[in-house]
């Protein structure tokens, strides 16, 4: 059995490159088909080994349909191969919770149909590999990128389908010469913790890259990793048994809340591929049940791995946990060898090199540690996230973004079934923490706590609109509104004292950051906890990501950072908090500036704010208001409108009302000016508004 | 008793003009105060002679408050004289139905307070007349226009308050030397119908004008009046008695529906100032009850006058009715004499010249007719409306517009209590048809039916936004969208046959009018009856008026005309009708062009339209779509979206969906282009959207 490494795509001879890619495609294609030859007969295609997923027939056809769909999306082809089959075979079921069973009714095509369909698609792709324009490097927007994407996508399914087959009842699979297991096992070695010196870890690739990469691999991340100890071996079945025997699966305190919930649902008492027969454990490989190979790595999910670490921490009174992604990369950088484009050179149980199973944890020593890569994937503490500068690949916009939710943890290192992109240094795959893969773990001891305060992406439409409004692109040539407001204040308020500013109604915070470029302290308050949470999150993480609606349910992923806006160092001078401008705590006082941007027509009783705001300003301080005076009963009862009303039969504008309400304590400081703003609703629809900015000196 | 004519304001010596205006002000002021000297004592100020209106104390103070309010609005003064009193005395109650009683509780100021208040305001206005800048002509925006407005406003209330006093119980009024009635009466003359030759009537004034005018007097109107006969005399009490005795007040068939409803509510059996004592009728003047003066004009409202005409039509089997405004003006132009600025020169019972009452209908012969003007106002068939080019005066924006509702009929000619602007040729006053004034009528015989299809102004916010979108101003420099679309079609579709076009989703119709500049026939269809009604109304009247929101409840009156847009002659080629693009009648077919502007994302099932639209086009015909693809579940269930969706996991844009849906019958005819549009929501808030325009050739 052989599986080629992922091709180099930035250099070489063009026609040789076509050959290489054709071979890479065919190997993958045939390997994938061969995998399904392990099914006892065609009826097994309609079994659903994992109740959370489609039956196997879907996966058999899906990797072909994926090619067609992406070729259509990229407008490389404009005719489907089989619209009917493709509508059935397009969308997997991967994002579910453990109790969301896939019980929809589907009218699946026959195995024969899918085989014929696969043949057609194979011919199509081969033809395209022969004829599509090819220049090196192959870049994101090139047709050949789509070809590579299709191949690497099939390699992922090669592995995940092997997991599904491993979940089938034994009676439904058969022996196959391509899929032999590793043959020997023995007693497990004693595991020990070895020192790993700290260091700086850099991750992320830039375009153009030497090999194909998924979008989540691009961008940059630097992490300072402190000294830790790591287990010499992966946790073997032997080592894991101690946890089971010590009532690990019955002791709630070892489990995370999520883990315990999962345990209550599944009633698991041991790892998924263990079979208990009275007091003996058997072990399920892809196609066989064998006596427990005690020195092979334990296949567990994150929740089980984490419970094991907590158990071990308790027993040893040490801080034992899984490595973070950065710690894993650091360990890998210290112990593995890669070729000049980052493909693994060390020997390891990957690429089916040593059969279709794991092997003893003591088989592959890579410098100081065993199985730094290969054998089984290794769960990490890190939920997958985009690097700084992450951009979605337009042809596969839901590959990564839906997993940036804090609930998908990275697995690293690859397994015996990992090939192609899966085994390179930069690869980044993540699964829900309860999912079953050929995955286990290595534990570490570290004083560094990991509590990933996950910077999840905002999907709420209103908040995303505001994030784009404050930090995103400019539309119709209208300048960024919060920045324009604060720039104007700086320009007009030259003689102001720049000590303390209050940003009332700060929303998602841009004006607060801008104020903090000059003010020593900025208090930023908004009524909406959701707005404030986003502002705070940006302040903490330095970046924020959100989805903006393009058209209907289609959306674009956006990420903005304080750094890009030159605001990174302002965050420390801002204190964000939730508050009510109509009933603000007394502590908000002694300001040199109070800015209330687009606030007054959203207050339930603006007079409460306007008639007391002078108490919070220092003498000579400036109150600056902006508003489009969009009074709506929804926000402000009509009897509380400051203007835009008839009083005794005469028109009273909001500006009139402001003068009336503020004249006792303020003088108008400058002429009102108009400041336009645009809020994007979809790619084509916007609110375009002109706020009036007024200046009031105490 | 003397009342000056309204001053000439476009010529003369400045200081003499100040004197003249001061005199005009003081006369009015003193006359008005003198009117209230007819009250028995100060307690009568708190009586409410007309249950639909405030008590007299309000009217006593109101004319002073009006000066202050308008001076404030025009920013001539910036301090109120008495904010408390002014908040009470600002808004009258004039726009009610007969069953909307004014039963709000008010804490009215004392008569003493109001007298002192009036004195302060008098001194203020006198001071302003002496000192405000004065240039001739006095124009709308001049401070002196506000002074004139205040004086003319008081003259209106001089008359309407005299009506209220006439409605007080006799025991609450007292004799006053200034307010003596006309002394004699006799038998009424026999009324006959005299011929009036037809002719062209022109109305409306332009700025600057020679005398003060209310905003509704400006603009232009030309009316071709056909021959009619008019009664020689106003209808006398004697003549009206025949109607009463013939059970006129009991016979439903003589009354309009509105009139009969009013009658059911009031249970009236004779005109309001008639008093029945057994079989004798007495008559109420302002301050006395006297034996019925049979030859004085009958004071009735429009509903009674109209019932009288219908009764007479039935009796004589002729078409008897009230004159229209134009017919009245025509009669007046033929019989009256005016000075060079349009002030009445003919002798007539106006200006209190002959006491505080009417006089016999045979007293004032003006050429062929008696009382063409004066004695009592004359009700017309015409509901008041703005002339072409009507503009609201910004300092009094609710003087006219609220009466342009088809429910306020014009009264013409003035009464014995009419002075100043009320008696000039151009004056235009209107009241609810059931209101009591010193008003009666002259009837005419004419074959010309009057059915005023009233072009009421649109107040619905959405429709007004659309009218402004289609016919109003351009915002942010974005060109008128419907016109831009049709211009583009004309430009791209040079080889089109320009016979028949279908405008589907025409909304308020601009694109239909634009299409009809080239197409011989345009069918215009919209799902919304309210949109279609506005489009039709514009087509019929040539103009349309609406209120656009500026800020809160403040709004601006707008009027647009096909003429101004160069589209007047297109209307006859368009047929507007309500219809459903998803279920269109078969008769809509054989078109050379089908334009569907911003339609598809508002259809409940766009496929029904898109998959059959080719059947309605001629071979070689063009389908043009525009849309911002703003899919919303509110309009279109998600399963019916054409695009903006994930299909089998892949993004399908609406453009993709359109290609898919139309490719069987169309070819893409030109590259899609972007066409921006702006919909104004308030003076400061807009929707700014970019539609995509696509071209499909059958």
């Amino acid at each position: 059995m052989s599986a080629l490494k992922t091709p180099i795509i930035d250099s070489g001879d063009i026609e040789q490159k076509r050959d290489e890619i054709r071979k890479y495609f065919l190997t993958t294609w045939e390997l994938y088909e061969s995998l399904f030859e392990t099914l006892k007969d065609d009826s097994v295609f309609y079994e659903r080994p994992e109740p959370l997923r489609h039956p196997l027939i879907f996966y058999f056809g899906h990797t072909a349909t994926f090619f067609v769909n992406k070729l259509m999306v990229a407008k490389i082809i404009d005719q489907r191969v089989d619209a009917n089959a493709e509508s059935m075979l397009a969308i997997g079921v991967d994002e579910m919770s453990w109790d969301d069973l896939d019980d929809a009714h589907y009218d699946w095509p026959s195995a024969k149909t899918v085989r014929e369909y696969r043949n057609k698609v194979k011919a199509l792709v081969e033809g395209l590999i022969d004829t599509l324009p090819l220049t090196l490097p192959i870049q994101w927007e090139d047709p050949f990128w789509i070809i590579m994407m299709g191949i690497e996508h099939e390699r992922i399914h090669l592995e995940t389908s092997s997991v599904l087959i491993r979940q089938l009842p034994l009676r439904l699979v058969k022996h196959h010469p391509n899929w032999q297991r590793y043959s020997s096992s023995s007693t497990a070695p004693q595991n020990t913790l070895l020192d790993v010196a700290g260091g700086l870890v850099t991750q992320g690739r830039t375009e153009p890259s030497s090999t194909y990469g998924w979008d989540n691999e691009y961008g940059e991340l630097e992490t300072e990793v402190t000294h830790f100890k790591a287990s010499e071996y992966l946790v073997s079945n032997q080592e894991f048994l101690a946890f089971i025997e010590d009532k690990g699966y019955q002791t709630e305190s070892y489990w995370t809340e999520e883990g315990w919930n999962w345990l209550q649902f599944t009633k698991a008492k041991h790892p998924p591929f263990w079979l208990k027969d009275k007091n003996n454990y058997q072990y399920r490989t892809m196609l066989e049940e064998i006596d427990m190979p005690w020195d092979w790595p334990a296949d567990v999910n994150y929740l089980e791995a984490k419970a094991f670490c907590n158990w071990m921490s308790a027993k040893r009174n040490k801080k034992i946990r899984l490595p973070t992604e950065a710690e894993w990369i650091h360990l890998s950088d210290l112990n593995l060898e890669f070729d000049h484009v980052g493909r693994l050179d060390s020997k390891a149980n990957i690429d089916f090199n040593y059969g279709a199973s794991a092997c003893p944890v003591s088989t592959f020593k890579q410098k100081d540690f065993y199985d730094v890569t290969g054998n089984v994937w290794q769960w990490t503490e890190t939920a997958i996230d985009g690097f700084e500068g992450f951009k979605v690949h337009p042809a596969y916009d839901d590959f990564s973004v839906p997993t940036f939710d804090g609930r998908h943890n990275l697995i690293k290192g690859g397994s015996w079934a990992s090939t192609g992109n899966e085994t390179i240094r930069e690869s980044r795959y993540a699964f829900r923490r309860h999912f079953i893969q050929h995955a286990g773990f290595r534990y570490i001891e570290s004083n560094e706590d990991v509590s990933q305060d996950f910077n999840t992406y905002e999907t709420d439409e209103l908040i995303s609109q505001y994030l784009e409004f404050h930090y995103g692109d400019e539309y119709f040539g209208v300048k960024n509104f919060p920045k324009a407001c604060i720039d104007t204040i700086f320009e007009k308020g030259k003689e102001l004292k720049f000590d303390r500013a209050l940003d009332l109604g700060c929303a998602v915070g841009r004006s607060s950051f801008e104020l903090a470029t000059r003010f020593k302290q900025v208090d930023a308050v908004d009524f909406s906890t959701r707005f404030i949470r986003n502002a705070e999150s940006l302040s903490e993480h330095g970046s924020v990501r959100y989805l903006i609606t393009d058209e209907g349910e289609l959306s674009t992923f956006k990420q903005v950072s304080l750094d890009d806006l030159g605001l990174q160092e302002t965050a420390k001078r801002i204190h964000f908090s939730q508050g009510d401008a109509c009933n603000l705590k007394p502590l908000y006082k002694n300001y040199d500036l109070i800015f209330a941007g687009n606030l007054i027509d959203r207050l339930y009783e603006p007079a409460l704010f306007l008639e007391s705001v002078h108490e919070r300003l220092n003498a000579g301080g400036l109150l600056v208001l902006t508003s489009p005076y969009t009074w709506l009963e929804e926000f402000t009862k009509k009897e509380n409108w400051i203007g835009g009303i008839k009083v005794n039969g005469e028109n009273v504008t909001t500006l009139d009302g402001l003068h009336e309400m503020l004249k006792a304590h303020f003088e108008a400081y400058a002429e009102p000016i108009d400041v336009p703003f645009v809020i994007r609703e979809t790619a084509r629809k916007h609110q375009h508004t002109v706020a009036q900015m007024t200046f009031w000196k105490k």
Side-chain angles (χ1 to χ4, degrees), chain A:
Chain A
M1 189 185 298
S2 107
L4 295 170
K5 291 189 173 189
T6 194
I8 292 172
I9 58 168
D10 66 347
S11 58
D13 171 79
I14 293 292
E15 289 315 308
Q16 281 177 9
K17 196 56 64 180
R18 280 193 205 277
D19 281 351
E20 189 184 342
I21 292 173
R22 188 186 308 102
K23 241 181 258 168
Y24 191 58
F25 165 68
L26 289 173
T27 307
T28 312
W29 192 270
E30 286 155 15
L31 200 52
Y32 193 63
E33 292 189 345
S34 149
L35 187 67
F36 290 87
E37 291 166 11
T38 63
L39 305 186
K40 200 88 172 183
D41 57 46
D42 280 357
S43 72
V44 182
F45 273 118
Y46 303 91
E47 295 289 329
R48 184 179 281 151
E50 166 62 71
L52 305 186
R53 302 215 179 168
H54 287 319
L56 292 163
I57 190 70
F58 168 84
Y59 294 97
F60 185 48
H62 171 66
T63 56
T65 294
F66 182 90
F67 268 107
V68 174
N69 280 347
K70 296 310 173 194
L71 290 167
M72 293 281 291
V73 164
K75 304 203 186 302
I76 296 168
I77 62 173
D78 66 358
Q79 288 294 324
R80 300 202 152 275
V81 174
D82 179 341
N84 254 353
E86 283 154 7
S87 77
M88 300 293 304
L89 301 172
I91 315 173
V93 188
D94 290 283
E95 293 311 313
M96 312 197 129
S97 180
W98 55 77
D99 48 358
D100 291 329
L101 300 187
D102 174 24
D103 51 8
H105 177 74
Y106 298 89
D107 186 18
W108 296 107
S110 72
K112 178 164 175 284
T113 302
V114 176
R115 281 194 190 97
E116 286 166 6
Y117 169 69
R118 283 190 62 91
N119 286 338
K120 285 187 219 158
V121 175
K122 184 183 177 189
L124 168 71
V125 176
E126 275 197 81
L128 290 172
I129 291 173
D130 290 346
T131 55
L132 282 177
L134 172 56
T135 49
L136 300 180
I138 299 171
Q139 301 205 54
W140 272 32
E141 56 283 5
D142 293 340
F144 259 90
W145 194 267
I146 303 295
I147 301 291
M148 290 304 303
M149 181 183 281
I151 302 171
E152 292 294 349
H153 172 262
E154 189 159 47
R155 293 201 166 236
I156 296 173
H157 279 280
L158 177 63
E159 172 150 8
T160 56
S161 293
S162 77
V163 176
L164 292 175
I165 290 169
R166 196 177 172 192
Q167 291 178 264
L168 277 175
L170 206 58
R171 61 183 163 79
L172 300 179
V173 297
K174 65 186 184 204
H175 180 82
H176 191 290
N178 280 0
W179 308 98
Q180 311 268 18
R181 67 173 174 87
Y182 191 84
S183 54
S184 73
S185 66
S186 172
T187 319
Q190 180 64 36
N191 212 348
T192 53
L193 286 161
L194 303 181
D195 278 309
V196 183
L200 185 71
V201 174
T202 62
Q203 287 179 261
R205 15 167 73 180
T206 50
E207 260 238 280
S209 52
S210 303
T211 59
Y212 175 85
W214 297 104
D215 54 7
N216 61 38
E217 299 167 22
Y218 292 82
E220 349 166 19
L221 180 66
E222 289 204 344
T223 317
E224 190 63 49
V225 166
T226 57
H227 159 266
F228 62 95
K229 295 179 176 181
S231 63
E232 186 177 3
Y233 303 98
L234 297 184
V235 173
S236 64
N237 289 317
Q238 181 87 54
E239 191 171 11
F240 199 79
L241 178 67
F243 169 67
I244 298 172
E245 291 187 333
D246 199 25
K247 299 201 184 308
Y249 278 82
Q250 288 77 43
T251 309
E252 185 172 354
S253 60
Y254 302 145
W255 297 77
T256 61
E257 191 184 346
E258 181 186 355
W260 190 250
N261 288 340
W262 169 80
L263 201 56
Q264 300 311 298
F265 182 78
T266 58
K267 316 241 186 281
K269 294 193 167 58
H270 49 70
F273 296 116
W274 288 27
L275 307 154
K276 196 171 185 183
D277 175 21
K278 289 182 188 155
N279 285 328
N280 286 328
Y281 285 107
Q282 294 287 106
Y283 177 86
R284 170 65 187 260
T285 64
M286 196 173 105
L287 301 174
E288 292 174 63
E289 282 176 21
I290 59 173
D291 290 340
M292 178 60 67
W294 291 112
D295 59 350
W296 291 16
D299 305 271
V300 294
N301 65 25
Y302 168 88
L303 302 171
E304 293 167 300
K306 184 70 182 169
F308 176 96
C309 292
N310 289 340
W311 165 78
M312 187 175 270
S313 296
K315 294 293 153 191
R316 298 190 182 176
N317 199 23
K318 302 268 187 196
K319 291 187 163 182
I320 304 291
R321 58 167 171 81
L322 302 169
T324 61
E325 183 185 31
E327 286 161 344
W328 186 91
I329 295 274
H330 185 51
L331 193 71
S332 145
D333 284 348
L334 293 174
N335 292 282
L336 298 181
E337 283 160 27
F338 296 96
D339 70 10
H340 71 288
V341 298
R343 299 180 298 188
L344 190 68
D345 261 352
S346 305
K347 283 203 183 258
N349 185 10
I350 58 168
D351 287 348
F352 305 102
N353 281 336
Y354 303 91
S357 75
C359 65
V361 297
S362 52
T363 313
F364 290 99
K365 186 162 193 189
Q366 296 144 351
K367 266 199 188 153
D368 298 334
F369 291 83
Y370 290 82
D371 294 331
V372 173
T373 194
N375 218 358
V376 291
W377 291 93
Q378 298 161 51
W379 284 102
T380 70
E381 296 284 6
T382 308
I384 191 173
D385 201 357
F387 293 143
E388 184 70 32
F390 167 75
K391 281 201 298 279
V392 169
H393 193 284
Y396 198 176
D397 65 358
D398 52 1
F399 180 77
S400 299
V401 169
T403 69
F404 294 172
D405 62 356
R407 305 195 300 173
H408 288 72
N409 275 38
L410 284 149
I411 53 177
K412 305 298 291 188
S415 79
W416 50 268
S418 299
T419 63
N421 169 279
E422 296 174 317
T423 63
I424 63 171
R425 179 186 183 274
E426 305 301 349
S427 86
R428 304 183 80 219
Y429 294 88
F431 283 95
R432 290 292 299 272
R433 290 185 277 263
H434 62 282
F435 258 41
I436 298 171
Q437 291 299 312
H438 308 309
F441 64 112
R442 174 189 312 280
Y443 53 86
I444 72 163
E445 183 189 330
S446 167
N447 286 320
E448 198 78 9
D449 287 329
V450 286
S451 68
Q452 194 182 7
D453 178 12
F454 197 78
N455 184 11
T456 185
Y457 63 101
E458 181 59 59
T459 55
D460 178 277
E461 200 145 327
L462 176 72
I463 292 176
S464 293
Q465 283 175 11
Y466 264 77
L467 287 168
E468 180 69 4
F469 172 33
H470 279 206
Y471 303 103
D473 292 335
E474 293 177 352
Y475 300 94
F476 305 123
V478 174
K479 286 211 188 322
N480 180 283
F481 178 76
K483 181 167 180 359
C485 288
I486 304 308
D487 285 352
T488 303
I489 291 174
F490 289 158
E491 194 182 294
K492 301 231 180 222
K494 286 208 173 60
E495 81 288 13
L496 272 183
K497 221 175 133 196
F498 288 102
D499 280 354
R500 287 167 50 78
L502 173 64
D503 188 1
L504 255 179
C506 64
V508 293
R510 176 63 180 271
S511 48
S512 313
F513 291 107
E514 295 293 337
L515 283 169
T517 62
R518 297 279 298 272
F519 279 89
K520 292 184 191 142
Q521 189 192 329
V522 177
D523 289 336
V525 175
D526 201 274
F527 194 71
S528 159
T529 328
R530 295 189 305 161
F531 278 163
I532 283 291
R533 209 167 47 214
N534 271 276
E536 272 178 327
S537 169
L538 176 57
S539 188
E540 270 170 45
H541 299 100
S543 71
V544 66
R545 61 270 302 271
Y546 49 97
L547 283 175
I548 54 172
T549 301
D550 289 330
E551 181 185 323
E553 64 174 1
L554 308 183
S555 54
T556 295
F557 177 92
K558 302 266 299 199
Q559 173 158 331
V560 294
S561 75
L562 292 181
D563 233 6
D564 296 344
L565 303 168
L567 295 169
Q568 187 61 65
E569 62 86 46
T570 63
K572 60 181 183 290
R573 290 194 288 278
I574 310 172
H575 180 67
F576 287 104
S577 46
Q578 192 277 341
D580 175 357
C582 298
N583 187 24
L584 204 57
K585 288 185 193 141
L587 68 91
Y588 294 100
K589 61 181 182 191
N590 305 327
Y591 295 105
D592 304 303
L593 173 80
I594 297 179
F595 174 62
N598 295 356
L599 174 74
I600 58 167
D601 56 359
R602 288 299 168 267
L603 298 178
Y604 56 87
E605 201 173 342
L608 291 177
F609 160 61
L610 292 165
E611 291 179 347
S612 65
V613 61
H614 62 276
E615 298 164 7
R616 303 177 186 279
L617 265 182
N618 294 330
L622 198 59
L623 169 68
V624 179
L625 308 174
T626 75
S627 174
Y629 309 141
T630 314
W631 297 103
L632 293 170
E633 288 260 22
E634 180 188 349
F635 299 103
T636 319
K637 275 194 218 149
K638 197 161 174 186
E639 72 238 39
N640 293 331
W641 295 3
I642 297 301
I645 45 174
K646 297 248 177 196
V647 176
N648 299 330
E650 303 299 338
N651 294 344
V652 174
T653 64
T654 308
L655 187 58
D656 294 337
L658 286 175
H659 272 286
E660 193 59 32
M661 208 158 258
L662 295 173
K663 69 184 177 192
H665 300 284
F666 292 93
E667 56 196 38
Y669 175 77
E671 282 300 299
I673 59 169
D674 282 346
V675 189
F677 63 89
V678 174
I679 297 179
R680 179 194 183 283
E681 294 183 2
T682 71
R684 294 184 169 275
K685 185 162 189 288
H686 312 73
Q687 298 166 32
H688 193 159
T689 309
V690 182
Q692 186 170 55
M693 191 172 198
T694 57
F695 306 86
W696 310 87
K697 185 160 187 168
K698 182 172 170 183

